[in-house]
Amino acid sequence: WCLGMLFLGTGWALFFRYGKFSYGVDLGCFWKTAVLIILTTIALGGPNYYNTRFVGEHGQDGDSIKIAGDELLYLDRKGNETKLALDDITAVYQEPITYNPPPKIFIVAGKGKVKDSLFVTRNLKGFETFLVSLSTRTGVPVKRP
């Protein structure tokens, strides 16, 4: 964000230093405005794109998920725990369109008292083995596009 604002500030400094100010509307004014809009887009969009991509790739670092007895236990890095009974799981599927890498694989529980879902990504160590084990224990096939 700071780098983006520095880039934007540099653009404005160049604009004020070398810009020719007049009250008439001419083609030069159009180009100066276009340059400032482009600089603003890059300054605000660049860091936002990077942050979104970083969260997509590393947002679940430190989380753990395991099958313990008849429950699926999910512990995030902040210490929050989610429990889903294996009998309550109704679907396991990969999101059809991925906007942020890597794709999410959702585990949906919709029977009984619990109506909840959670997801894992390919960053999970041994996620293929986990999905096969989950599918075997629940009888719910993993759907992927």
Side-chain angles (χ1 to χ4, degrees):
W1 184 84
C2 290
L3 186 61
M5 290 299 106
L6 181 65
F7 182 73
L8 181 61
T10 303
W12 273 98
L14 290 172
F15 177 75
F16 281 117
R17 172 64 180 94
Y18 298 106
K20 182 177 147 189
F21 295 100
S22 64
Y23 291 105
V25 176
D26 60 358
L27 191 59
C29 183
F30 170 76
W31 288 112
K32 287 184 274 188
T33 303
V35 166
L36 287 178
I37 289 173
I38 290 169
L39 286 173
T40 304
T41 302
I42 292 170
L44 297 177
N48 190 33
Y49 169 77
Y50 174 76
N51 288 341
T52 303
R53 186 173 181 92
F54 185 85
V55 167
E57 291 177 351
H58 302 288
Q60 283 69 48
D61 289 353
D63 294 1
S64 67
I65 189 166
K66 64 181 178 177
I67 299 172
D70 292 336
E71 290 184 322
L72 181 67
L73 301 174
Y74 180 78
L75 181 66
D76 69 12
R77 65 181 179 274
K78 296 178 184 174
N80 301 323
E81 185 177 81
T82 303
K83 294 180 183 180
L84 302 176
L86 293 179
D87 295 337
D88 292 344
I89 294 176
T90 58
V92 180
Y93 66 93
Q94 180 176 323
E95 62 183 340
I97 299 173
T98 302
Y99 294 104
N100 298 319
K104 296 177 182 175
I105 297 150
F106 290 95
I107 302 167
V108 181
K111 297 179 190 172
K113 297 183 231 177
V114 178
K115 294 189 189 293
D116 200 359
S117 69
L118 53 92
F119 68 89
V120 296
T121 62
R122 295 177 189 221
N123 292 346
L124 178 69
K125 291 181 183 176
F127 94 100
E128 286 288 347
T129 308
F130 168 75
L131 289 178
V132 169
S133 175
L134 181 65
S135 180
T136 304
R137 295 281 305 269
T138 61
V140 177
V142 178
K143 297 177 185 170
R144 293 188 183 173

